[in-house]
């Protein structure tokens, strides 16, 4: 029987207030003002379930807990679901692509 792929990449829009965080800005020297700030992650859960856990502080990234606004499915839905290793690679690739497009990106 074939394995069911259940891993997902996801992108969360962050409030522009995250730009006041020195660590965020240091990680985004080529950020283009006006472009979105985002968190890119991967999970074995559905993205909306993972977002809820971030906001509740469960295995959460501080920037998402504090600044997370909403999921941006247009940036990731076409990739999901996928095997674990593909999701791990896609998380990095998607972060790089968004950063190259001028987005402010945070990844754990």
């Amino acid at each position: 029987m074939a394995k069911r792929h259940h891993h997902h990449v996801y992108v969360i829009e962050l409030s522009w207030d995250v730009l006041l965080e020195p660590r965020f800005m240091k990680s985004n020297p080529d950020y283009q003002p006006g472009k979105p700030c985002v968190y890119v992650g991967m999970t074995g859960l559905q993205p909306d379930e993972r977002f809820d856990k971030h906001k509740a502080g469960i295995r959460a990234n501080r920037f998402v807990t504090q600044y997370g606004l909403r999921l941006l499915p247009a940036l990731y839905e076409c990739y999901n679901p996928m095997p674990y290793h593909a999701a791990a690679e896609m998380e990095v690739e998607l972060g790089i692509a968004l950063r190259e497009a001028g987005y402010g990106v945070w990844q754990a």
Side-chain angles (χ1 to χ4, degrees), residues 29-77:
D30 297 324
Y31 170 70
Q32 295 175 13
K35 291 279 189 160
C37 295
V38 298
Y39 175 86
V40 178
M42 67 157 285
T43 183
L45 305 172
Q46 291 296 316
D48 58 339
E49 190 178 339
R50 183 65 187 109
F51 176 68
D52 291 344
K53 288 184 181 278
H54 274 293
K55 293 303 284 182
I58 301 168
R59 295 181 46 94
N61 178 273
R62 182 178 71 85
F63 290 153
V64 177
T65 302
Q66 193 169 351
Y67 302 109
L69 300 175
R70 67 189 63 83
L71 289 165
L72 297 175
L75 297 177
Y76 64 82
E77 275 185 334

Side-chain angles (χ1 to χ4, degrees), residues 13-15 28 35 47 57 64-65 68-69 72 80 87 89 91:
E13 182 180 7
L14 303 175
S15 161
N28 291 284
K35 291 279 189 160
V64 177
T65 302
L69 300 175
L72 297 175
N80 295 329
E89 288 178 16
E91 176 189 7

